[in-house]
Amino acid sequence: QVQLVESGGGLVQAGGSVRLSCAASGSIFSINDMGWYRQAPGKQRELVAAITSGGITNYADSVKGRFTISRDNAKNTVYLQMNSLKPEDTGVYYCHAAAALSRYRLASDYWGRGTQVTVSS
């Protein structure tokens, strides 16, 4: 199995910055896409940013120019640098990884438990 452990988050004022980290561990053969999703109270979980193993990135329109996703493939870790935070960025941020346990198995989706980010106005 694969475990994803997030760190970072917390309470920050509007305009501030936060960096999230997520480390994957377990019987991992390879990791394809990694990314961050968030869920605000009363809303569905939405994609914030994703990155392929080759470094191709994808961002939600609402965070373009403010957030940067990166990854360290050697450490199976993905990062999310969040700048110019707004109150609407508040939510629980979940790490996601599409990982394969062997060369003979398709990748499956794995999720972290989430980390709270609260942006005060």
Side-chain angles (χ1 to χ4, degrees):
Q1 291 298 317
V2 176
Q3 295 80 41
L4 301 178
V5 179
E6 300 120 333
S7 60
L11 176 64
V12 61
Q13 288 188 334
S17 298
V18 168
R19 188 188 195 216
L20 304 181
S21 300
C22 172
S25 62
S27 303
I28 300 170
F29 173 73
S30 65
I31 300 179
N32 300 333
D33 293 355
M34 299 188 79
W36 292 92
Y37 289 70
R38 70 185 177 195
Q39 187 165 18
K43 295 187 177 181
Q44 291 187 332
R45 190 176 298 187
E46 64 176 356
L47 172 69
V48 175
I51 185 168
T52 68
S53 57
I56 297 173
T57 58
N58 180 39
Y59 294 93
D61 287 342
S62 60
V63 308
K64 285 180 180 177
R66 300 188 298 122
F67 292 9
T68 302
I69 189 170
S70 60
R71 66 189 281 177
D72 184 332
N73 290 332
K75 296 181 179 180
N76 289 335
T77 299
V78 63
Y79 307 95
L80 185 67
Q81 178 66 44
M82 303 187 292
N83 299 328
S84 302
L85 283 162
K86 304 176 180 179
E88 51 263 43
D89 294 318
T90 295
V92 179
Y93 284 70
Y94 296 92
C95 176
H96 167 264
L101 303 184
S102 79
R103 67 174 68 245
Y104 306 109
R105 297 178 65 175
L106 295 175
S108 298
D109 292 321
Y110 296 91
W111 295 90
R113 292 189 172 184
T115 184
Q116 177 71 42
V117 174
T118 302
V119 184
S120 63
S121 57

